[in-house]
Amino acid sequence: QSALTQPRSVSGSPGQSVTISCTGTSSDVGGYNYVSWYQQHPGKAPKLMIYDVSKRPSGVPDRFSGSKSGNTASLTISGLQAEDEADYYCCSYAGSYTRVFGGGTKLTVL
Amino acid sequence: EVQLVESGGGLVQPGRSLRLSCTASGFTFGDYAMSWVRQAPGKGLEWVGFIRSKAYGGTTEYAASVKGRFTISRDDSKSIAYLQMNSLKTEDTAVYYCTRDFSGSYFDYWGQGTLVTVSS
């Protein structure tokens, strides 16, 4: 299946909010509440930030939130901090026990 | 503390085989599904495949890009997951991550990754 569609880059100033979209189809994002988001700093392994659309793992700041409407999921980061600068990837269950990732979004904190 | 440590990466010629290992600690390995995710240089993440826990049959699922060439297995007595890669292609060049797969829904822990380079 095709990768989910994310903007290549987004940016914001410290303290602001940014939203990263993740668009799929009714066969993946729209069909299941199994969307997750991962943060990846350069040279590091990805880290789970949001799972099951909007749930936050223990230890992830509540500045990170997730939502979904139709075939599009979104990750919102409020109160931007310098350490939030990273690549972000969405991932969705895509049926038949497969998963599909988005192409990734580079977040720049100005 | 949950830890996943991959090993076995390296340089391999096209058409050859390579086996990666993922050694787990800090949790009851046999209770969890495990997935492999890869990332080509400068590119995004790609799910490769996963293996269910023995409680769910220990069966496997794969991405279309590797089906028939890659095989995932597990040794619960050693807390190790394996990724056997056959008929390797240059496009399989990537960092390969081992992940703990929670209920087929998300990947809650990741290893540090191991680089596989397929080149003549």
Side-chain angles (χ1 to χ4, degrees):
Chain A
Q1 56 273 94
S2 300
L4 307 176
T5 300
Q6 297 181 233
R8 291 187 68 91
S9 64
V10 297
S11 62
S13 299
Q16 288 187 332
S17 294
V18 295
T19 296
I20 300 172
S21 61
C22 170
T23 301
T25 70
S26 58
S27 297
D28 38 62
V29 174
Y32 310 94
N33 288 323
Y34 293 137
V35 176
S36 50
W37 290 88
Y38 302 87
Q39 176 191 65
Q40 186 180 36
H41 288 109
K44 300 295 187 182
K47 174 187 175 184
L48 176 67
M49 303 302 285
I50 295 288
Y51 66 97
D52 294 353
V53 176
S54 60
K55 297 176 182 176
R56 241 184 349 266
S58 173
V60 172
D62 60 6
R63 303 184 295 102
F64 292 83
S65 62
S67 62
K68 190 184 85 166
S69 178
N71 296 335
T72 298
S74 298
L75 172 71
T76 298
I77 309 170
S78 58
L80 266 180
Q81 299 182 3
E83 58 262 36
D84 298 334
E85 184 163 296
D87 293 328
Y88 290 84
Y89 294 90
C90 62
C91 181
S92 175
Y93 180 75
S96 301
Y97 305 104
T98 63
R99 253 65 66 80
V100 60
F101 281 95
T105 298
K106 181 178 179 58
L107 168 63
T108 300
V109 181
L110 302 170
Chain B
E1 178 194 7
V2 171
Q3 282 198 312
L4 301 171
V5 179
E6 301 94 338
S7 59
L11 175 63
V12 61
Q13 293 180 327
R16 304 297 290 262
S17 299
L18 198 65
R19 188 179 79 162
L20 306 183
S21 299
C22 169
T23 302
S25 60
F27 65 101
T28 304
F29 180 76
D31 288 348
Y32 289 86
M34 300 296 293
S35 267
W36 288 90
V37 175
R38 67 184 181 182
Q39 186 170 35
K43 303 296 184 181
L45 302 172
E46 180 187 15
W47 175 76
V48 172
F50 87 117
I51 185 165
R52 297 176 178 84
S53 65
K54 288 292 196 300
Y56 289 89
T59 50
T60 53
E61 307 290 345
Y62 300 96
S65 58
V66 306
K67 198 169 187 177
R69 299 188 300 123
F70 289 12
T71 301
I72 299 173
S73 60
R74 63 190 300 155
D75 184 338
D76 290 351
S77 68
K78 297 181 179 178
S79 296
I80 299 177
Y82 300 100
L83 177 62
Q84 176 68 43
M85 304 183 292
N86 298 332
S87 303
L88 281 162
K89 307 175 181 180
T90 55
E91 53 262 42
D92 294 319
T93 294
V95 173
Y96 284 75
Y97 293 101
C98 167
T99 77
R100 194 174 79 169
D101 192 326
F102 197 89
S103 299
S105 168
Y106 55 91
F107 313 112
D108 58 352
Y109 289 95
W110 297 62
Q112 85 288 352
T114 187
L115 176 62
V116 173
T117 303
V118 184
S119 174
S120 54

